[in-house]
Amino acid sequence: MRKTLLCGCIALVVAAVVWAGGDPWKSKPYQQWDAKDVRKVLDGSPWARSVQVEAPWLKGDAAAGGTDGGSTAQPGPARSGPSPRSGPGGGGAADAASGGPQTAALATFLVRWASARTMREALLRSAVLAGQLKEDAAEQQVAQPVDSYEIVVAGPDMKPFQSVDEKILQNGAFLMDKKTKQKVAPTSVKIQNSADGKIIQSVAFIFPKNSDSGISTIAADEKIVDFLCVVTNVKIEASFDTSKMMDAAGRDL
């Protein structure tokens, strides 16, 4: 019996090591991350949520009549998972032309909790691997305290953000915890443009860590925090599980 229990314990330990090995933020310091590790943190970690919204502004969208931004259809809320597909032999504009089932085009946005230490480590490590930053400089930046939460929205098509300014975006976004339903408004919004200034690459929403009375805006025991942004009739929602947003130092927001 003792031998059986010992074997079982060893198996559990091995399984735990294998599981942790798949998550670079758990298995090794960021200075040892390679490009694959960095990409997993940036795109496939608890600090990154991929969401999809109906996008009538896209050309070829059956719901928009095949025009670019010419539809008044109201897109639904953001969704996760693969793009919906039509049945065999049909779908999209072809169905629209034949009067059959229509499938709206989708746009994908990546919502990152960018103020988290783990996310900052990944971005700085990426710069080091690209030869754009020295390792000691990266370590100095990681060590700098961060006094606010920062949520960054980016995607290959940022058209809904093109015709609005920071103030409008600030009024249309908030963080909300599941337990109290308390909404936290951003204190500022930063739009990041391309080098020529013609294309929006990302939008950063800055939220306070503490209220005016000094109370934490996200409680230590809060497990789920939702981010919501409404811009030009497009609703982008992302839910973050803070119980999984942990590194070797503890909860990381």
Side-chain angles (χ1 to χ4, degrees):
M1 175 64 73
R2 183 177 298 176
K3 184 177 180 181
T4 301
L5 290 174
L6 180 59
C7 291
C9 290
I10 293 174
L12 288 174
V13 171
V14 172
V17 171
V18 172
W19 173 77
D23 295 330
W25 58 91
K26 297 177 181 177
S27 61
K28 52 187 173 181
Y30 80 92
Q31 294 92 338
Q32 297 178 13
W33 292 350
D34 57 21
K36 184 178 179 181
D37 295 330
V38 169
R39 185 49 50 195
K40 183 168 184 178
V41 173
L42 294 178
D43 297 347
S45 71
W47 295 270
R49 317 309 299 162
S50 178
V51 298
Q52 291 182 318
V53 298
E54 293 180 10
W57 69 87
L58 293 176
K59 291 182 178 180
D61 182 1
T67 61
D68 185 8
S71 171
T72 57
Q74 299 297 312
R79 65 188 76 181
S80 60
S83 303
R85 297 177 181 271
S86 57
D95 280 335
S98 62
Q102 297 182 11
T103 301
L106 297 177
T108 300
F109 295 95
L110 189 63
V111 183
R112 294 186 176 119
W113 201 292
S115 56
R117 180 174 50 254
T118 304
M119 189 62 69
R120 290 186 289 116
E121 288 172 345
L123 291 169
L124 291 168
R125 180 60 179 166
S126 178
V128 170
L129 292 174
Q132 301 170 345
L133 191 67
K134 298 293 185 180
E135 288 196 16
D136 57 347
E139 292 180 5
Q140 290 176 7
Q141 292 189 41
V142 168
Q144 292 179 358
V146 177
D147 59 2
S148 60
Y149 299 123
E150 182 175 337
I151 308 297
V152 174
V153 179
D157 186 344
M158 297 288 285
K159 186 172 182 178
F161 295 88
Q162 288 291 150
S163 59
V164 296
D165 58 20
E166 286 90 346
K167 193 64 177 178
I168 292 176
L169 291 172
Q170 186 175 344
N171 292 333
F174 60 81
L175 287 178
M176 182 179 71
D177 61 67
K178 285 287 189 179
K179 184 179 295 185
T180 67
K181 305 298 183 182
Q182 174 187 347
K183 294 181 179 179
V184 181
T187 54
S188 62
V189 174
K190 299 177 182 178
I191 296 176
Q192 179 66 46
N193 293 299
S194 58
D196 59 10
K198 296 180 179 180
I199 299 175
I200 292 180
Q201 296 180 323
S202 65
V203 178
F205 297 83
I206 314 300
F207 297 90
K209 284 191 174 183
N210 297 294
S211 66
D212 293 338
S213 58
I215 300 175
S216 297
T217 52
I218 299 178
D221 61 348
E222 181 57 59
K223 293 184 178 180
I224 303 295
V225 178
D226 293 331
F227 166 79
L228 183 142
C229 169
V230 178
V231 53
T232 57
N233 295 326
V234 175
K235 182 187 293 185
I236 300 172
E237 295 178 280
S239 185
F240 291 89
D241 186 343
T242 62
S243 67
K244 295 181 180 179
M245 297 164 69
M246 307 278 288
D247 66 0
R251 192 172 81 157
D252 180 20
L253 304 184

